[in-house]
Amino acid sequence: MNAPRIQVVQGAFHVASGPGDCLLVTVLGSCVSVCLFDPVARVAGMNHFLLASGGAEAGDSARYGVNAMELLINGLQKRGAERARLRAEVYGGATMVPGLCNVGAANARFAVEFLRNETIYLRHASTGGHRARRVTLRSSTGLAREEFIDRVVLTGPPPPVEAGHVDLF
C-alpha cells in the first residue's frame, strides 16, 4: 500500500495525524527542516524554513525559524500532541555555495538551540556538509529517512516575478 506523499515546500509546514499514513517530503540545501512526532498521540509534522530570523519584515512568515517552529508546534498541539512528549529530528543546513556566508550553519544552530530552550527532546540531527538532501517523514511512526542528492536540477518554468520585485545574482 502506497502512502500519499505531501511535499513540504520552503516556508511551509504540514501536520498529519489519524489512522491513515502519509509521507511528508522535502528537499533541503541550506534550509532546515525540523520533524516532530508525539508517539502517544501519533501526530507528526515537518517544517521547512529558509532563515533563522528575519527582523521586522519576518512578520509571522514560516520562512523564518522561530515562526516555523511555533506554527509547527501549535499545529501538532491542535491535533492532540503534548509539547513534553515531542521527539525532534533536524535536517539540512548545508553549505551549498562555498565562500558565501554560511546561512545553513546558522539555520541548523538556531533549530538545535530552539529545541534545547523549549526542552523538546532532540532524537537525531543531520546537518551541514555540502550536499542537498531529501527528507521523508512517515506520519504514523515518526520515522524519517534522509537521502543525499549529489546534483540538484531544477525543472519547469521559472517562478513568477512579483511586480516591482528584482532578484540580483
Side-chain angles (χ1 to χ4, degrees):
M1 181 170 121
N2 289 336
R5 296 171 65 88
I6 298 169
Q7 186 71 34
V8 180
V9 298
Q10 290 179 347
F13 74 98
H14 189 83
V15 173
S17 63
D21 193 17
C22 69
L23 300 174
L24 306 180
V25 182
T26 197
V27 176
L28 304 164
S30 60
C31 294
V32 163
S33 177
V34 176
C35 301
L36 294 177
F37 181 67
D38 179 330
V40 175
R42 302 196 70 75
V43 179
M46 173 190 280
N47 64 19
H48 180 150
F49 63 87
L50 285 74
L51 297 170
S53 61
E57 74 278 3
D60 60 358
S61 173
R63 295 183 309 164
Y64 301 100
V66 69
N67 299 337
M69 291 304 300
E70 291 299 336
L71 289 167
L72 179 59
I73 292 168
N74 290 340
L76 289 160
Q77 289 178 321
K78 286 178 185 174
R79 301 258 186 114
E82 290 186 17
R83 204 176 188 108
R85 295 190 307 236
L86 293 176
R87 303 293 176 252
E89 296 190 16
V90 177
Y91 297 95
T95 302
M96 299 304 292
V97 181
L100 294 181
C101 68
N102 198 347
V103 173
N107 287 341
R109 188 170 41 255
F110 164 81
V112 170
E113 288 175 6
F114 180 95
L115 294 167
R116 182 177 27 251
N117 291 340
E118 296 295 320
T119 62
I120 295 173
Y121 174 66
L122 177 58
R123 179 169 56 188
H124 176 74
S126 177
T127 61
H130 298 281
R131 296 187 294 168
R133 46 179 61 92
R134 178 181 295 107
V135 178
T136 304
L137 174 66
R138 183 169 291 277
S139 68
S140 63
T141 63
L143 295 177
R145 187 177 93 194
E146 171 185 47
E147 301 170 77
F148 286 96
I149 303 169
D150 289 324
R151 186 171 158 219
V152 177
V153 178
L154 301 177
T155 61
V161 177
E162 298 174 23
H165 180 80
V166 177
D167 285 329
L168 302 175
F169 296 95

